[in-house]
Amino acid sequence: MKIRTFVATASLVASGSLVAFAGSAQAALYTTCVGDGGAVTVGGDLVVPAGQSCTLTGTKVKGTVTVQAGADLVASGATLNGGLSVGENAYADLTDTSVKGALTAQGAFGTHLQGTTVKGAITANQGFLYAVDSTLDGNVRAQAGELYVSGSTVDGSLTGEANQYSDVYDSTVDGKLTVNGNALGGVLCASEVYGDTVYKANSDTLQLGGEGLLGSCSGATYLDGNLAVTDNTATAVLDNAIVRGKLTATNNSPVLQVGELARIRGGITGETTAAGAASAAARSFKAAPQDRGDGLAEKAAERAAEARAEAKAAGATRL
């Protein structure tokens, strides 16, 4: 069961009502959503009030969407013409949906994108960012949470900062990939990165292509720019990857292991060693890479199911 965070407000609003707050210039209008919303057009901004649940199916929102503290938004086949803001302990679950503005999650429970397009930048501070088969047109930055990207395209840069882990599978990053200060390291599997790639100050395990302590990775990884693996205390393995630029491997303890299937076109600076086969005993203490994705999928599905049930109980919202 999710933990709700409730925020006191000066006014109480009814489900689906249009609310106006007078300002010095003019009143600001928005529509609230509590319950199930269908294939209609919302002319302005949309708010899911604190602690409430809203589902949108085929809905078009011309303004911005705000999911307040402890609230849930589950959208399918929706179009959000503005940005999306997800508040503290709130949750956004978007399937086959288009977000034409930026997506910001601050202290959220998490954000799940499935087959979804986000045109603007994505910023997630705490909580998880779980993107599958999605197109992310702006820069993506996730910090102090969990980052998992699979089968997706990132047209800008992708940054995982001080997360539990930052895992990238079968994805394309057109800009720079940076994984810095992750407690459980990260995985880069069967992916392409066209900017520089940086893994710095990570702990536990780094699996950069190929076989590693986290398990097997089917498919080669291609890094078009330089690769820097520096200042890590993680056990780091680079294999089944082509690095078109230079590899810099300095101040790593243990030293970066480079496997037989790694090809470094631009030379190596620093210290590396040949990768050995991971022992069965070592593997038995590590989750397979898909386990982290499975764990996020389970968390997302549980929260989404609870949100749908609450929205159904609330009835049809008047959008």
Side-chain angles (χ1 to χ4, degrees), residues 4-9 47-53 67-71:
R4 290 293 197 185
T5 302
F6 295 94
V7 175
T9 59
V47 173
V48 185
Q52 302 297 326
S53 294
V67 187
Q68 294 184 341

Side-chain angles (χ1 to χ4, degrees), residues 194-246:
Y194 288 93
D196 290 340
T197 301
V198 176
Y199 282 82
K200 182 177 181 180
N202 299 286
S203 303
D204 198 76
T205 305
L206 292 175
Q207 181 180 323
L208 310 182
E211 297 285 338
L213 291 177
L214 290 172
S216 62
C217 174
S218 176
T221 290
Y222 175 73
L223 306 181
D224 192 64
N226 298 318
L227 169 63
V229 183
T230 63
D231 304 314
N232 298 286
T233 58
T235 298
V237 178
L238 170 67
D239 201 4
N240 199 15
I242 296 173
V243 180
R244 189 166 180 262
K246 178 177 68 175

Side-chain angles (χ1 to χ4, degrees), residues 48-144:
V48 185
Q52 302 297 326
S53 294
C54 166
T55 63
L56 300 176
T57 304
T59 310
K60 182 177 182 179
V61 181
K62 292 187 175 181
T64 63
V65 176
T66 301
V67 187
Q68 294 184 341
D72 296 311
L73 172 66
V74 179
S76 178
T79 300
L80 313 182
N81 281 341
L84 170 63
S85 176
V86 187
E88 183 178 357
N89 197 43
Y91 176 60
D93 191 297
L94 311 181
T95 301
D96 298 330
T97 289
S98 174
V99 181
K100 297 184 179 180
L103 191 164
T104 302
Q106 181 67 35
F109 173 82
T111 303
H112 176 210
L113 308 175
Q114 180 79 44
T116 286
T117 298
V118 180
K119 294 291 187 181
I122 298 177
T123 304
N125 183 15
Q126 301 180 0
F128 64 79
L129 176 59
Y130 178 37
V132 180
D133 298 335
S134 293
T135 300
L136 314 177
D137 287 339
N139 295 331
V140 178
R141 182 181 183 87
Q143 60 186 33

Side-chain angles (χ1 to χ4, degrees), residues 260-300:
E260 294 180 350
L261 297 180
R263 299 290 182 266
I264 316 299
R265 304 302 190 200
I268 300 175
T269 298
E271 186 179 5
T272 65
T273 187
S279 68
R283 285 182 181 275
S284 69
F285 289 107
K286 297 291 181 181
Q290 65 267 23
D291 287 352
R292 297 208 279 222
D294 290 347
L296 282 185
E298 185 176 344
K299 284 202 296 187

